[in-house]
Amino acid sequence: MAETVVDFVLGKLMSLAWAEAEKLSGLGREFNAIAKELKSMQAFLMDAEGMAEDNSSANNWVTEVRSIAYRIEDVIDEYMMLQETEHQSSNIISKVARSAHHMPALHRLASSIKDIKAEVIHINQRKENYNFRKYIAEPGDSSSSSRGAAAAYPSQVSSLFAEDCDLVGINDRKVDLMKLLDPDGEYSTCSVIAVVGMGGLGKTTFARRVYKDGAVGSNYPFRAWITVSQSYSPITLLRDIIRQFREAEPHEETQDTADIPTLIDNLRNFLVDKRSIYRYLAVFDDVWKFELWDYIKSALPDQANGSKILITTRDEAVAAAWKRSSYSCKNYVYKLQPLSSEEAWNLFCNMAFQGDYDKLCPTELRPLSLKMVSRCEGLPLAIVAIGSLLSTKRKTLLEWQRLHKNLGFHLQNNSQLKDIRRILFLSYHDLPYYLKPCFLYFGMFPEDYSISRGRLVRLWAAEGFLERGRRKLTAEEVDEVAEEYLSQLICRNLIQVSKWDFNRQRAKVFRVHDLLHELILQKLKELSFCQVSAGTCNVDIEFRRLSILSSTTGATIESSGTGKLSIRSIFLIGAQEKPAKLLQGSFLKVVHLLRVLMIEDSPVAHIPDEVGDLYHLRYLSIRHTEVTKLPNSIGKLVNLQTLDLRHSPIFQLPMAIKKLHKLRNLSAYMQTASLFLRGHQLPPGVLSNFKELEKLSCIDVSQPGVIHELVNLKHLRKLEITNLKTEDGFALCKAVENMDQLQRLFVKTTFQGDLLDLQYMASPPPLLRRLCLVGPLKRFPDWFANLSNVVELELNLRGSDLVEDPLKILQTLPNLADLGLWGGYIGLGLYVRSTGFQSLRRLTISNFPEVSTIIIEKGGLPILEKLALRKLPRLKKVPPGIRDLKNVTGLTLQIPEAIYDESDPIFKLISKVYIGEVAPTHL
């Protein structure tokens, strides 16, 4: 983390020196000197942070580096704020007055900078006392990003853990892997098999159990088991393979050499000599880097006789790289899954009650035991460790409640649970420095909390986590960097995907494993990254962030000092009572360097004027609160990028927001009782100022002139509008037609006689992926035929009188995966051709009162997974073509009672059938 902070501060120093070169005067030399010292330290920080895990002196040095970097950041932000205040002065007199007013503050800053410079030099000199290695990244470098973490991996843990895990949940999985290893079976040409899963899933135990199986020994006379881990020596690894292979033929002489090419040549020659009669199996356990394959592919030739290589890894990217780079196109990635609920419970009982004859959980302990097992989320390592610890405790409810309530403390301090922390956090220590704060950020949310991609990316951007190099990123570059970061965290099995988009092309919602969340909380405290609390909170001056979660007593903030705090982010999530002091003007003055203020799902009703003094604020969210009005001072937030007002009763936004020229994301709507969006109103003339706006969701365009301002928003990627009038259809079409970056579009009419008049667009935006139209439509626009990139399409056209089958044009769209049709069609039939909807996975048809026939030709909807047919009162029979939809896993019908025949075999294919005109509301 110190490396992350130093890199971030260096970026700010360089940006400041470049942008303010003329104004800095003597301070510029001081800043440059500080930057030079930080760069010198940065090269050693990777090694130092690795040593810090087990070396208190190294840890103290790293802590000092992190603290001084934070102080530098504070000084930079203070200086930038003073400069901006002077810049905002409207005339020479006020500028002179402000300059005189700020002179004492500037002198204090100059004095602080000189003190910091001296301290930085001293800290840099002290690094020589610790023999840190200078890190220089090189291609193919297999060294761990954390020396201490790599050295700390207890290689004996796996063998100890194997005996415990063998008892439950491994046999079925073993059968699967044995099939992959069968040299004469279905996967005989499969050369490389990768077993992938997060730390603690039992990959080593699983692979070892198969490796030791007698059938595997018979099929593979030459076998080698190589433990790789984060730090490995290619020479030692190759020698070990040769030694183990030669054990099958003791008369063979083993040549000891330190030359890698010679070792590779010897190994290849040995295997080629045995090629006609013998197969080999080489297992590489705990692989972290794909560069290892460069040695292996040369040393272990493809024998074309059923020989195989098996690896275990936490990183899906490593598995994919070995798969792509290996000999055969049929190589296999086996994703090891967590234990099922039943398997997890059985394993827990075997461990917690191992001294009991029947190994049954007492009735009074069962509810609490189930909670603890649930928190392990099927992770065998955690279940075994916690169960083993409980086996040493008295079987009383009070004793077990203590462990459950203080699990985080025990994970940190109990020797019987330290292996969980060590093994799970190996993946954290292996992260590049720039990913560590992104991962730790999940600890600022409640346990078992899922966060959407868009919100997470906007928060990361506001914190500065996505800034690379020394320049401002474009919106597209921010997305690319965020995509890369998320992909790495997913591939390393550090975060879980809670929800995919329907065609599984993109992860939408994320969370972390409950036990990882507990460990993150400890790391947040250790690194002063964030103070996480509930209820009353005495703010520690050392922390950079504050998160108050699920408070049932009201959030009360107390500061341990009288000065200003260096907090950059404040979260208040799920408070059930109004927070005291948190949103008082006096407190906001104390946290004047704030970048993120997120108040959500809390009974906050007022935002004070002092919020406008938060010059550095980039992210402001007050969604799901009781706030009804924004203060005019919000116009002073010149750096604000995100303003999230969703589900808060602010229906009229102030004119002052027109000054928010850096605003990229504006979300403001309420959901009505009928589940429609109610957009908020903007004063005329405001939208024209938002040149950088990327997301506008959702505004009422019924105000005079507002619709015509959309033409200025050329960078929009998401647009949601309500209360569109018929006569404004032309203006909307012309605006949307020029939005080359637009990916999502939602349009809703007034439902007061207005139509969706959208004929005036030659072609839709090229990147459009999601389209939702709500309101009467006279006819389908011609440009519908060009929606070639649209993946999700929702058409709620109630009030329309369309006579043309809507499926006729829609079924030709090549990428459409999710289609919902609600009303507006008065024709008698719907027809899916044999070539129709080749990419569709979900189809909902509802509220077509005249439809009597639905025909699905064989070949149509070939990959459909979910089908719902609702509110079709005149339907004469269930579509026979449903029988040909082989991939459907969810089928819901709401049909007239007259056509329901329980004896008809087609109803056995349908998961839910509702009889009558009114379906349950959840449909």
Side-chain angles (χ1 to χ4, degrees), residues 60-78:
N60 290 337
W61 186 80
V62 170
T63 300
E64 288 180 4
V65 173
R66 185 172 61 245
S67 297
I68 196 67
Y70 281 149
R71 283 182 59 194
I72 297 168
E73 183 187 15
D74 291 346
V75 167
I76 294 172
D77 286 351
E78 292 271 11

Side-chain angles (χ1 to χ4, degrees), residues 192-197 203 284 286-291 293 309-326 328 330-336 491-493:
V192 178
I193 301 162
V195 177
V196 184
K203 299 180 295 295
F284 298 92
D286 199 24
V287 178
W288 291 78
K289 308 293 181 184
F290 64 82
E291 290 88 354
W293 177 249
I309 295 171
L310 175 68
I311 73 168
T312 70
T313 180
R314 303 177 182 209
D315 195 333
E316 294 180 15
V318 169
W322 280 53
K323 180 180 178 181
R324 286 193 305 269
S325 305
S326 54
S328 170
K330 293 185 178 180
N331 297 313
Y332 196 89
V333 175
Y334 183 92
K335 293 187 178 181
L336 192 61
C491 285
R492 292 168 182 264
N493 282 284

